[in-house]
Amino acid sequence: MRVLLTGGAGYVGSHAAWTMHRAGHEVLVFDNLSEGHRAAVPEDRLVVGELMDRSLLESTLRQHKIEAVMHFAALAYVGVSVTDPAEYYQNNIVGTLSLLDAMRAAEVNRIVFSSTCATYGEPEQVPISEEEKQSPINPYGFTKLAIEHALSDYSHAYGLGYAALRYFNASGASVDSPIGEDHKPETHLIPLVLQVALGQRENIKIFGDDYPTPDGTCVRDYIHVDDLASAHVAALKKLEPSTALKLNLGTGNGASVMEVVEACRRVTGHPIPVVMEGRREGDPPELVADARLANQTLGWQPKYTDIESIVASAWRWHEAHPDGYEDR
Ligand code: UFG
């Protein structure tokens, strides 16, 4: 299938691009390279452009006879979305509406959308099923939920087939493609802990050890980025006009911040000193997926179900690329 991946030079998008590429699909990446990396994209498969450039999007869709879109391009720093919501609303909502307009004009009617567990806010029930109320607690989560609503309405009115995939904590790195995680600045737990093992940081700060969890630190559901990629491929296969899929993507297993640090100690052999800090604003104590619906609907099963194997794949990338991609 001929598929356009917006944000395909970013972390999750590039893993999906390589997975699709290796599975024999014709992939084309559309990315403004503000967060993404040219080196993460399969050769000759990149169009550099802005989501707001609706005419470039439309001509790209037409010229390459694109049959479906995977939409990863978004700003995704929860903290920045609180201090600078304008660019989040502009990019994540207005940018996506521009993409949806271009798709309608070019008669492309299938899309897989990167949504997030942040649309649930502070859930009442954990593990979190798709039945849980979506009540985000930050602008990032609001922008993603707004697009879920738009997709539902476009599906109803225009016959758009869509899958909104609600990621839990994307992590790890590809084992068979030359790509991994490189955010600047880095805010995510696993790469930050591995920077300690690389000698780039003295310690890892733990944001709160007084949560109502077994060891007092926050629990998250870390899902390998290649497993996210394979779920996209499976979701795409299910899309027909007016299909509406809303699915959690997680392993169903929680790991606490301390358990992540311990897994990193075992994998790297480094003592990894920790410093206890206060809670980070907006962190729910526990976010773990009930991922049964994705399994039933897509026949999808994550390959990586334990935190140590996820950390080991991340470590292989970070050891080989201590400064990330070399393109900036
Ligand atoms: N943490 C630390 N120290 C650090 C960094 C993180 O203790 O230096 C803790 C956080 O407090 C949190 C856990 O490690 O409890 C994971 O934090 P991340 O920043 O790696 O990930 P989040 O769970 O905050 O965020 C992820 C995605 C977001 C998404 C969110 C949904 O990165 O895009 O899940 O809640 F919105």
Side-chain angles (χ1 to χ4, degrees), residues 10-283:
Y11 174 44
V12 182
S14 62
H15 283 77
W18 277 92
T19 299
M20 296 283 293
H21 181 61
R22 283 196 313 265
H25 294 280
E26 213 172 294
V27 300
L28 187 67
V29 166
F30 187 95
D31 200 298
N32 67 2
L33 299 180
S34 66
E35 306 282 336
H37 306 273
R38 193 178 285 276
V41 179
E43 214 176 333
D44 299 332
R45 300 281 82 205
L46 176 66
V47 174
V48 179
E50 297 289 339
L51 284 180
M52 290 308 297
D53 191 344
R54 189 194 154 292
S55 65
L56 176 61
L57 275 168
E58 185 183 334
S59 60
T60 304
L61 292 168
R62 286 187 189 280
Q63 196 188 330
H64 295 270
K65 299 188 169 53
I66 295 295
E67 297 163 284
V69 170
M70 291 185 177
H71 179 39
F72 301 94
L75 297 175
Y77 290 108
V78 172
V80 182
S81 81
V82 176
T83 53
D84 192 4
E87 61 169 338
Y88 277 70
Y89 281 90
Q90 184 66 33
N91 187 84
N92 294 4
I93 297 184
V94 184
T96 302
L97 296 179
S98 163
L99 170 67
L100 293 176
D101 267 0
M103 287 173 63
R104 282 181 66 207
E107 294 176 40
V108 178
N109 64 359
R110 281 179 278 193
I111 184 167
V112 182
F113 171 61
S114 304
S115 191
T116 168
C117 65
T119 58
Y120 295 114
E122 291 183 7
E124 280 170 19
Q125 294 268 344
V126 181
I128 305 167
S129 81
E130 289 80 357
E131 300 295 307
E132 180 71 35
K133 188 161 169 268
Q134 286 180 292
S135 187
I137 56 168
N138 52 59
Y140 168 67
F142 274 113
T143 64
K144 291 287 182 175
L145 181 56
I147 295 304
E148 285 204 21
H149 287 304
L151 292 173
S152 166
D153 292 339
Y154 281 41
S155 176
H156 181 72
Y158 311 129
L160 180 71
Y162 78 94
L165 302 182
R166 298 174 187 154
Y167 309 164
F168 282 65
N169 285 54
S171 45
S174 171
V175 289
D176 42 21
S177 303
I179 51 174
E181 184 169 15
D182 177 6
H183 296 111
K184 292 193 176 72
E186 190 52 79
T187 61
H188 296 102
L189 180 65
I190 293 174
L192 287 175
V193 177
L194 295 178
Q195 286 176 4
V196 180
L198 286 170
Q200 296 173 344
R201 279 173 198 273
E202 297 213 332
N203 53 54
I204 183 75
K205 297 181 175 45
I206 295 191
F207 300 146
D209 62 352
D210 58 351
Y211 284 96
T213 59
D215 65 17
T217 65
C218 286
V219 171
R220 294 288 181 271
D221 185 336
Y222 295 89
I223 170 85
H224 196 282
V225 68
D226 272 346
D227 286 327
L228 290 179
S230 67
H232 284 71
V233 178
L236 188 59
K237 283 195 193 133
K238 294 278 175 196
L239 291 191
E240 300 290 341
S242 298
T243 306
L245 300 177
K246 289 160 275 187
L247 301 171
N248 288 340
L249 296 182
T251 63
N253 300 324
S256 72
V257 175
M258 263 328 291
E259 285 170 335
V260 169
V261 172
E262 279 154 15
C264 292
R265 286 175 176 154
R266 288 193 297 275
V267 166
T268 65
H270 189 284
I272 307 184
V274 301
V275 173
M276 290 301 172
E277 299 252 315
R279 293 181 178 196
R280 185 172 71 175
E281 202 187 337
D283 273 341

